[in-house]
Amino acid sequence: MQTIQSVNEMQSHAIGLRSSGRLIGLVPTMGCLHEGHLSLIDIAKERADKVIVSIFVNPTQFGPSEDFGRYPKSLEADLEKCAERGVDIVFNPSAAEMYPQGFSTYVNEEDVGAGLCGISRPSHFRGVTTVCLKLFNITRPDLAVFGQKDAQQCAVIQKMVTDLNIPAEVIIGETKRGDDGLAISSRNRYLTNTQNEEALSLSKTLLMAQKMVHEDGVRSVDRVVAEVTHHLSIARSLRVIYVQIVDRLTMEPASREIEPGKHMVCVAAWLDQTRLIDNIAL
Ligand code: PAF
């Protein structure tokens, strides 16, 4: 496995791979790799000849009061996991390499990213689209794999790829959960054991919403949102940021009726200083 830090080296290597007819699969990450990331790597391995994993904690997607400074890092362990999983190249640039002095161009998707997390994290998706477009230009992937846990991020990237005619296929890997149901996330490292227990109410409540729709035949958006909000607020230390039922592809809010297969319920909540998100198909 090769590790590359330089943008120029990565880009010329990727151009070489593509011109020799190799299919490139990219898995963009911010490191601190867990089972969720590893499952995305497995998807990329199945579909591509060469798998590139980028590890870069992207400063532009964090707001001024967010956790950029304390975002967990575990480069050595990440490299070991990548090597074990058969990754070909880890691209691990520095911030100065990605955003040299004078950098002033950003990409902004203006619709899909506007609601949900876009409201409480106003510059977040601009940072995500900017870094992803840069990663696409640097690593020239035929396909790029993202995780469904960040459903809105997936939808924003898919929209950018379509709108800007980027010649890469976006593949979405399913959310990986612990045995207890908690969606696996690098930020789970912030949680104490007690908080971990409380965080479980997110996945439990989502399952309850799915049951309401699929087993009890409930179709009312207001009723499901009200039940989910109520159940989340039983966990006293959770502060709900949003509960919303949206179209799974466009993130457009459902108005009155839930259409099974088309809609999903998305939640975000603070647990002390940790921001958690999760979603489930309805
Ligand atoms: O999901 C993430 O880890 C990040 O948002 C991504 C896609 C790697 C961009 O920095």
Side-chain angles (χ1 to χ4, degrees):
M1 187 180 79
Q2 239 180 311
T3 308
I4 299 179
Q5 272 97 32
S6 145
V7 165
N8 287 341
E9 192 186 335
M10 182 66 254
Q11 197 174 42
S12 35
H13 198 74
I15 290 170
L17 286 172
R18 268 192 93 125
S19 58
S20 66
R22 303 289 190 8
L23 276 187
I24 300 178
L26 171 68
V27 183
T29 81
M30 298 208 296
C32 198
L33 302 183
H34 49 63
E35 280 305 316
H37 295 117
L38 301 181
S39 69
L40 306 182
I41 292 173
D42 291 344
I43 295 175
K45 285 228 35 115
E46 270 168 29
R47 302 276 304 262
D49 303 318
K50 292 282 173 191
V51 172
I52 303 174
V53 171
S54 62
I55 298 183
F56 177 62
V57 183
N58 173 36
T60 64
Q61 68 189 73
F62 291 81
S65 57
E66 293 184 8
D67 56 344
F68 175 64
R70 66 183 187 116
Y71 195 84
K73 292 183 188 69
S74 57
L75 186 60
E76 247 178 66
D78 291 350
L79 294 177
E80 262 175 44
K81 288 177 187 166
C82 285
E84 274 168 20
R85 222 65 177 200
V87 168
D88 298 286
I89 301 169
V90 171
F91 176 51
N92 171 222
S94 65
E97 189 66 11
M98 289 295 273
Y99 297 109
Q101 219 165 15
F103 183 93
S104 62
T105 305
Y106 293 87
V107 185
N108 207 18
E109 190 286 322
E110 297 187 348
D111 180 27
V112 178
L116 300 171
C117 289
I119 295 170
S120 46
R121 304 185 77 191
S123 57
H124 172 65
F125 289 118
R126 182 181 88 138
V128 171
T129 44
T130 301
V131 82
C132 285
L133 184 57
K134 281 175 70 69
L135 289 169
F136 288 172
N137 284 333
I138 296 165
T139 64
R140 308 290 167 108
D142 295 277
L143 56 99
V145 194
F146 296 86
Q148 171 67 17
K149 180 180 158 287
D150 298 307
Q152 190 179 17
Q153 168 170 283
C154 293
V156 167
I157 288 164
Q158 179 61 74
K159 189 69 174 26
M160 173 184 80
V161 163
T162 306
D163 285 349
L164 300 185
N165 310 101
I166 298 168
E169 183 187 355
V170 174
I171 298 174
I172 315 294
E174 65 179 32
T175 303
K176 285 281 158 199
R177 298 184 181 277
D179 294 338
D180 53 10
L182 185 66
I184 299 178
S185 157
S186 305
R187 287 190 169 98
N188 292 355
R189 291 201 180 191
Y190 297 146
L191 303 176
T192 62
N193 287 345
T194 319
Q195 288 175 335
N196 200 83
E197 280 300 307
E198 290 175 301
L200 291 181
S201 49
L202 259 73
S203 51
K204 284 186 185 153
T205 306
L206 291 178
L207 282 174
M208 178 211 69
Q210 198 178 48
K211 181 179 166 294
M212 278 178 82
V213 173
H214 286 269
E215 290 178 29
D216 310 335
V218 178
R219 293 289 177 271
S220 158
V221 167
D222 287 350
R223 181 149 165 234
V224 174
V225 168
E227 286 284 336
V228 169
T229 310
H230 170 69
H231 272 83
L232 288 177
S233 42
I234 293 172
R236 301 190 72 161
S237 43
L238 274 184
R239 280 132 43 224
V240 176
I241 304 168
Y242 63 72
V243 172
Q244 206 164 0
I245 294 176
V246 297
D247 182 294
R248 290 169 68 184
L249 299 177
T250 64
M251 299 290 126
E252 195 182 318
S255 46
R256 246 184 261 159
E257 284 260 306
I258 294 167
E259 286 180 47
K262 178 176 182 204
H263 288 132
M264 68 195 293
V265 56
C266 299
V267 297
W270 285 107
L271 185 49
D272 193 15
Q273 293 190 52
T274 306
R275 195 178 188 282
L276 301 168
I277 57 171
D278 202 350
N279 63 77
I280 204 163
L282 293 177

